Amino acid sequence: MQIRKFRGVDVRATLDAVREELGEDALILETRRSASGGFVEISAVIEIDEPASGKYSPGKYASYETSSPKGHSPKGHSPGGSYNAGLQSGSYGSQYISEEDGTSHVLRELRGLKDFLSVISVRDETQGGKNFLRLEQEMDKSGIDRSFIHDVLIRTITRAAEAGDGTDIDTLRSRLKSAVLGEITTKNPISDSGQTVMALVGPTGVGKTTTLAKLASIMALKKKKKVALLTMDTFRIAAVDQLRRYADIIGVPVSVAETPEEVQRLLREYKDKDLILIDTAGRGRGDTEQMQKLHALSELDVKVKFNLVLSVNTRDAYLYDTVRRFGGVNIDSITFTKLDESPEFGPILNTVLYSGKPLAFFTDGQRVPEDIEAASSKRLESLFLLN
Ligand SMILES: Nc1nc2c(ncn2[C@@H]2O[C@H](COP(=O)(O)OP(=O)(O)OP(=O)(O)O)[C@@H](O)[C@H]2O)c(=O)[nH]1
Ligand SMILES: [Mg+2]
């Protein structure tokens, strides 16, 4: 057994250090804030004869392994880092098996409890205890990463107390809203002036082609922009037909490009267009050929923006894995689809925290073009039950 003390600027960063150093099995003995409030000290213990690796991570309660590079990530675990290598060697599959097992479930619960206990002393100092719990439960229902919930709640309650704002629920909720929304950026990747070339990339079946058709339809028919479609998806027999049908209905040209060189040639042909949308094949993980093609696309003379399309109906671990997989191209923004099919929207926030990328669009149905909207703060507030 080994007892270690860790110091950091806040609970989350310090817990990150504990996990990184001692692994997921470390037991938190005590969390203490310095008298000046300047730092947090955590005492943790680890059985050294047990494996200290994150056997069950990245799981819902073990999110320190998979946090954001934008200030929430432990060293070496950012997208494309050493953690990625671990996944490629096959630990990803075993995580699913272990999470189905009852013992692991109890362990995960215990870990959640440990994390909760570790923040209680900080929480009590702020006299916002009851409200802390209530807001925590509300956010937890949305599927928001627990370590982030603790972090943002502690920050919110501490700041409210410091500012002499009081810790009533409405004040806290309003501060919490700003704190959460402050972590998220949104952007419209389609320029109002000048040309935009945007490729929709992502896993199989998430809704890339449907989203592309929605965008093409709105831009061509409602906004009267000159739009052209390209597809690099020659992998699936019906894929070209699917896009052609949309292009015919919308009344925009569509071309097939098997290689990045053909894309380059077609982009020259379409130089008068305002918007060129590129559909790509959604292939499984480990498809290096597809990733090489996308990488080559990112090196063309013309700037291609990559919009990563993800379905909200997906486990956090798989979303993070996808972000890492597409780390080879510079993802410009993220679109979340299938909001109509999901009971919780925390994965959206978790992915933004993990990737540090802005959100572009949300889709919530199959209708083209109706079921799409630009990602906005207002919508985010309602998704995360913050209003
Ligand atoms: N419920 C719901 N279904 C959607 C949404 N977006 C797309 N779909 C459906 O999801 C299915 C797959 O959509 P596609 O657009 O073909 O997905 P894709 O990512 O292009 O698929 P691949 O090209 O095979 O990788 C279709 O049945 C779509 O109608 C959405 O926001 N909500
Ligand atoms: Mg498709």
Side-chain angles (χ1 to χ4, degrees):
M1 186 179 289
Q2 189 189 14
I3 298 178
R4 298 275 309 274
K5 286 193 175 177
F6 292 80
R7 278 186 184 178
V9 285
D10 58 31
V11 172
R12 178 166 180 146
T14 318
L15 277 171
D16 281 345
V18 174
R19 303 276 186 245
E20 192 170 21
E21 191 79 20
L22 303 181
E24 284 300 323
D25 295 327
L27 180 68
I28 307 298
L29 292 178
E30 188 190 11
T31 302
R32 191 174 75 75
R33 192 177 278 283
S34 66
S36 63
F39 65 87
V40 166
E41 184 176 85
I42 294 182
S43 306
V45 62
I46 182 81
E47 289 285 347
I48 50 177
D49 51 343
E50 280 183 14
S53 64
K55 189 176 167 195
Y56 302 104
S57 65
K60 195 168 177 186
Y61 303 101
S63 44
Y64 309 100
E65 289 265 347
T66 56
S67 305
S68 156
K70 189 180 139 193
H72 291 291
S73 178
K75 266 189 259 145
H77 290 170
S78 54
S82 57
Y83 187 61
N84 192 17
L87 290 176
Q88 279 163 355
S89 67
S91 63
Y92 188 65
S94 64
Q95 172 219 335
Y96 280 89
I97 298 163
S98 59
E99 285 202 357
E100 294 314 317
D101 149 3
T103 325
S104 315
H105 176 72
V106 174
L107 278 175
R108 279 194 290 123
E109 288 298 313
L110 277 175
R111 255 178 224 126
L113 190 63
K114 274 196 311 187
D115 292 347
F116 176 69
L117 288 173
S118 72
V119 299
I120 277 182
S121 58
V122 178
R123 188 200 68 186
D124 285 349
E125 282 168 26
T126 64
Q127 300 170 355
K130 268 195 198 151
N131 290 338
F132 181 107
L133 275 177
R134 184 164 152 196
L135 291 168
E136 183 192 41
Q137 279 163 4
E138 286 178 20
M139 289 177 86
D140 195 39
K141 265 195 236 152
S142 308
I144 297 172
D145 180 285
R146 284 218 169 167
S147 58
F148 174 70
I149 295 177
H150 289 160
D151 182 40
V152 76
L153 277 173
I154 289 169
R155 268 194 282 139
T156 302
I157 292 178
T158 310
R159 283 186 194 151
E162 280 167 3
D165 266 11
T167 48
D168 65 278
I169 193 82
D170 291 336
T171 308
L172 289 182
R173 198 190 298 282
S174 138
R175 279 183 163 268
L176 184 63
K177 204 185 283 186
S178 321
V180 171
L181 296 181
E183 299 281 345
I184 307 173
T185 47
T186 57
K187 84 184 263 187
N188 184 350
I190 302 175
S191 318
D192 250 355
S193 57
Q195 188 186 64
T196 303
V197 181
M198 183 165 79
L200 281 83
V201 299
T204 316
V206 288
K208 297 179 293 300
T209 307
T210 313
T211 302
L212 182 145
K214 289 170 182 174
L215 292 172
S217 171
I218 290 169
M219 295 307 291
L221 303 178
K222 288 201 183 142
K223 304 230 162 150
K224 308 289 178 212
K225 297 282 183 186
K226 287 182 263 167
V227 178
L229 308 182
L230 293 187
T231 179
M232 293 184 78
D233 186 0
T234 50
F235 176 72
R236 222 165 29 85
I237 293 166
V240 176
D241 283 349
Q242 185 189 8
L243 198 64
R244 271 216 178 99
R245 274 205 300 278
Y246 281 128
D248 288 349
I249 296 167
I250 302 165
V252 295
V254 60
S255 305
V256 181
E258 296 238 24
T259 62
E261 293 71 37
E262 281 174 43
V263 173
Q264 172 96 26
R265 185 182 57 74
L266 286 160
L267 288 180
R268 273 194 218 111
E269 221 170 84
Y270 288 137
K271 66 175 184 304
D272 65 314
K273 301 292 181 197
D274 301 310
L275 176 64
I276 300 163
L277 293 168
I278 306 176
D279 197 14
T280 63
R283 303 274 294 274
R285 62 194 311 280
D287 186 346
T288 46
E289 195 191 321
Q290 166 75 347
M291 285 314 300
Q292 277 163 4
K293 264 192 190 175
L294 294 183
H295 186 69
L297 204 57
S298 73
E299 300 205 314
L300 298 182
D301 297 345
V302 181
K303 163 114 181 105
V304 179
K305 289 182 181 173
F306 291 89
N307 182 261
L308 178 62
V309 182
L310 297 169
S311 164
V312 70
N313 223 347
T314 313
R315 296 173 61 115
D316 285 344
Y318 185 63
L319 292 169
Y320 301 159
D321 182 45
T322 306
V323 168
R324 284 196 295 273
R325 264 199 302 135
F326 285 88
V329 293
N330 189 13
I331 296 298
D332 173 74
S333 57
I334 296 180
T335 290
F336 266 97
T337 61
K338 311 201 181 185
L339 268 63
D340 54 314
E341 287 185 345
S342 179
E344 57 177 43
F345 304 102
I348 298 176
L349 176 57
N350 300 342
T351 306
V352 168
L353 291 170
Y354 182 73
S355 66
K357 300 291 180 187
L359 292 169
F361 305 104
F362 293 140
T363 79
D364 59 357
Q366 295 177 292
R367 292 177 308 165
V368 177
E370 291 90 342
D371 297 331
I372 189 164
E373 65 184 301
S376 66
S377 301
K378 206 166 183 312
R379 182 74 152 122
L380 288 163
E381 276 178 29
S382 66
L383 292 179
F384 304 135
L385 305 177
L386 289 173
N387 52 1

